Amino acid sequence: MSARIETDVRQGGKTVRKEITVFDGDDLEQVTGRDLYRDHRIGEIRAGSGKELLEVRLPGDERWLKAGEAIGDVDGDAVQRQMIRRTIKEHLQKELRLAPLGIKVLSLFFIDKVDNYRQYDHDGNPVKGKYARMFEEEYRSLAKDPSFSSLFKEVDVKSEAIEVHEGYFSIDKKKVAGKSVDVFKDTKGDSKADDDTYNLIMRERRSS
């Protein structure tokens, strides 16, 4: 019996995250080449549709993991929040340097799913996704940094945070109850619709 797990392994002199195959009794320190996993072993592996389980034996403890569960993993949303915060900070730093020269600064985020930025309620009204909420929270937080005080003189930061970001997505036209409705779609960035969306961003930002 074997299982596929995703973990950090030592490879080519650096640590990389990859999927590996493990077997009952495997020593994770040996399998991964990392002493971080000393005394960590793979225990029982159970298979069965919807009943897959993997036992991980830790020093003084043992854990049973279902498919998709993790031990000691990083919170994905925390990583995304830090990436958003860092981009906003670098954007504001560029504004300090370039605004006096009459140069506008535009920062783009490429996200995994439209729903993470914008959703719609039952009445068709737009609702902020988690990335939009993160952006506004981090923008308001950084606006309080004394380093950027010259950018926010007499500015209502609450309103500003809402107004400075916008989402541009590829659109499908669909018929709903006899009406033509725009539906945002997830894409990989390599379609004509993506090219049209990118051109829209640049055109609107140049004219605003």
Side-chain angles (χ1 to χ4, degrees):
M1 190 72 69
S2 66
R4 295 285 291 174
I5 67 170
E6 185 179 85
T7 187
D8 295 330
V9 303
R10 194 69 180 168
Q11 182 174 294
K14 60 182 180 180
T15 300
V16 297
R17 178 158 292 197
K18 63 183 297 186
E19 281 194 1
I20 60 174
T21 301
V22 293
F23 299 87
D24 186 343
D26 273 355
D27 183 325
L28 287 178
E29 180 183 11
Q30 294 181 2
V31 171
T32 65
R34 304 190 68 211
D35 57 12
L36 175 69
Y37 297 121
R38 181 170 298 152
D39 298 325
H40 289 57
R41 291 182 177 275
I42 299 297
E44 185 180 347
I45 299 172
R46 297 182 184 177
S49 180
K51 298 180 180 180
E52 300 89 348
L53 288 171
L54 172 69
E55 180 188 22
V56 181
R57 296 172 182 167
L58 314 172
D61 193 13
E62 63 181 35
R63 305 277 184 87
W64 287 92
L65 300 180
K66 298 178 182 178
E69 292 184 337
I71 296 175
D73 201 13
V74 177
D75 180 357
D77 283 352
V79 173
Q80 298 297 339
R81 178 178 289 274
Q82 287 304 311
M83 292 173 68
I84 289 170
R85 181 178 179 84
R86 179 171 179 174
T87 301
I88 295 171
K89 185 174 183 178
E90 291 184 356
H91 179 100
L92 295 176
Q93 289 170 339
K94 290 177 182 178
E95 277 199 12
L96 286 174
R97 297 196 310 271
L98 300 176
L101 302 177
I103 299 174
K104 291 183 179 180
V105 179
L106 172 66
S107 296
L108 301 180
F109 293 89
F110 294 89
I111 64 175
D112 48 359
K113 292 192 302 183
V114 172
D115 281 353
N116 283 335
Y117 179 79
R118 179 180 295 151
Q119 301 174 12
Y120 291 87
D121 62 20
H122 295 301
D123 297 322
N125 300 310
V127 178
K128 295 171 187 174
K130 62 181 179 180
Y131 291 166
R133 295 194 300 271
M134 287 179 189
F135 178 94
E136 292 180 11
E137 291 164 2
E138 295 305 322
Y139 186 90
R140 291 174 187 137
S141 173
L142 284 165
K144 299 175 184 177
D145 188 325
S147 303
F148 306 123
S149 59
S150 63
L151 297 174
F152 297 98
K153 290 180 180 178
E154 300 180 3
V155 171
D156 180 353
V157 175
K158 184 175 182 179
S159 298
E160 174 85 352
I162 297 172
E163 295 171 358
V164 296
H165 68 95
E166 181 56 280
Y168 298 84
F169 306 104
S170 300
I171 294 175
D172 273 341
K173 292 282 188 180
K174 292 188 177 181
K175 287 286 186 179
V176 178
K179 298 180 180 179
S180 181
V181 179
D182 290 343
V183 179
F184 295 120
K185 61 180 181 179
D186 296 321
T187 63
K188 296 182 179 180
D190 55 3
S191 68
K192 183 180 184 302
D194 293 305
D195 290 339
D196 293 342
T197 302
Y198 179 78
N199 290 331
L200 172 65
I201 295 171
M202 301 310 294
R203 183 173 65 251
E204 286 204 1
R205 286 309 179 187
R206 280 198 301 267
S207 62
S208 62

